[in-house]
Amino acid sequence: MRIVIKIGTSTITNQYGIINEESIDSLCFVVSKLKEENNEVIMVSSGAIAMGVGKLSLEKKPKDIPTKQACAAIGQLELMGIYDKHFQNFGQFAAQILLTEDDINNDIRRENFKNTILRIIHLGAIPIINENDTVAIKEICSIGDNDTLAAYVAANIDADLLILLSDIDGLYTNDPKQNKDATLIKNIYEITDDIYALCGDKGSELSTGGMITKINAAKITCDAGTDLFITNGKDPKIIFDIINGKEVGTRFIAKK
């Protein structure tokens, strides 16, 4: 099975952007086990800007583009170093790929990044993808969020499954923080205006997306024939439940 796993900022850092190495280690263990069971695993990881914010001891995520890009440059280096360290604990090694919107929209560049990902997998490494935040500018070449990036990656490499790990359990009928009667929607077969109407605000202070970006990602993957799961990444072992067919989080079921 070819699986794309997107890791949200809140899954691997605390509210101050400090890395949670226990979460990283657990995630690397799960991915390593999946790979040992002959699955092809591609990761799309957020967290570079947040880690830069934490390393620079900034009080909050910057608003201006140059500072964001500086934080990304600092944080990306540390993020990949930590992933590499923990994957080596399980006999694996990682490869970094940084993409921009041009790599998605240009036919030649899109084919190139697809071939690169597949070659990395063939060589036995685990691709870890992020948007190239150090050069991506919204008006020019920015994808905007890693939910969308993960969806484009999954669609272009013919993935069987995309799993979005976040700090939420899935899509609810209402905001569970404000309405105790809100219930988790387990399966969605069609993305309608009613589904979009259930989206709340954007994610945490250090993150970029929210539920709306996850629904947009589901639209991309379902149109491409790939199922998508939204689930809580607090314990990455929940991925095993998904692979084993258990009802976890919210599943968007593609029309095959």
Side-chain angles (χ1 to χ4, degrees):
M1 183 180 289
R2 184 173 292 168
I3 309 161
V4 178
I5 302 172
K6 182 263 178 175
I7 300 96
T9 299
S10 59
T11 301
I12 56 174
T13 65
N14 64 20
Q15 60 181 324
Y16 305 107
I18 305 302
I19 194 71
N20 185 335
E21 291 211 33
E22 185 177 345
S23 295
I24 291 274
D25 194 70
S26 181
L27 178 65
C28 291
F29 165 77
V30 170
V31 171
S32 298
K33 290 295 291 183
L34 291 175
K35 187 170 176 291
E36 289 170 5
E37 294 168 1
N38 296 318
N39 295 292
E40 297 176 347
V41 186
I42 301 92
M43 297 168 61
V44 177
S45 181
S46 302
I49 293 178
M51 291 187 69
V53 170
K55 194 162 188 178
L56 291 169
S57 300
L58 301 181
E59 293 183 359
K60 58 183 179 180
K61 182 177 178 179
K63 302 292 185 182
D64 64 291
I65 290 176
T67 309
K68 283 183 181 179
Q69 292 177 325
C71 287
I74 293 166
Q76 185 67 30
L77 180 66
E78 183 163 348
L79 180 65
M80 287 304 300
I82 291 173
Y83 272 126
D84 187 57
K85 178 180 73 173
H86 286 278
F87 268 126
Q88 287 189 45
N89 292 339
F90 303 107
Q92 306 291 342
F93 58 99
Q96 174 181 262
I97 302 176
L98 298 176
L99 300 175
T100 67
E101 189 178 36
D102 287 344
D103 299 308
I104 301 296
N105 292 334
N106 181 281
D107 290 343
I108 295 175
R109 294 177 68 164
R110 183 172 62 248
E111 188 67 19
N112 184 55
F113 94 70
K114 174 182 175 179
N115 291 338
T116 300
I117 290 172
L118 297 180
R119 178 58 63 178
I120 289 170
I121 293 171
H122 177 75
L123 293 172
I126 299 165
I128 302 180
I129 303 168
N130 196 359
E131 183 166 10
N132 193 351
D133 293 316
T134 59
V135 299
I137 300 174
K138 186 174 184 180
E139 292 79 7
I140 301 175
C141 58
S142 174
I143 297 165
D145 64 89
N146 275 346
D147 293 328
T148 303
L149 175 60
Y152 281 133
V153 169
N156 279 284
I157 64 171
D158 301 318
D160 299 295
L161 188 63
L162 169 58
I163 301 172
L164 303 182
L165 298 181
S166 186
D167 57 356
I168 51 177
D169 296 327
L171 181 63
Y172 282 82
T173 55
N174 209 312
D175 187 346
K177 296 178 181 178
Q178 300 181 14
N179 188 338
K180 65 179 181 180
D181 295 324
T183 57
L184 181 67
I185 304 173
K186 295 183 178 180
N187 295 294
I188 294 176
Y189 295 89
E190 184 178 6
I191 300 172
T192 63
D193 290 341
D194 290 337
I195 296 299
Y196 273 105
L198 298 174
C199 299
D201 297 330
K202 80 178 215 48
S204 66
E205 182 64 28
L206 287 168
S207 67
T208 303
M211 187 55 70
I212 186 70
T213 64
K214 292 169 176 53
I215 305 301
N216 289 337
K219 183 71 169 60
I220 294 168
T221 57
C222 287
D223 286 349
T226 300
D227 286 2
L228 178 145
F229 278 84
I230 302 172
T231 192
N232 197 313
K234 183 178 180 180
D235 182 0
K237 293 185 180 66
I238 200 169
I239 295 172
F240 292 139
D241 292 336
I242 292 174
I243 301 302
N244 290 326
K246 296 183 180 179
E247 283 196 335
V248 172
T250 297
R251 179 183 183 186
F252 291 80
I253 301 172
K255 295 179 180 179
K256 306 297 183 184

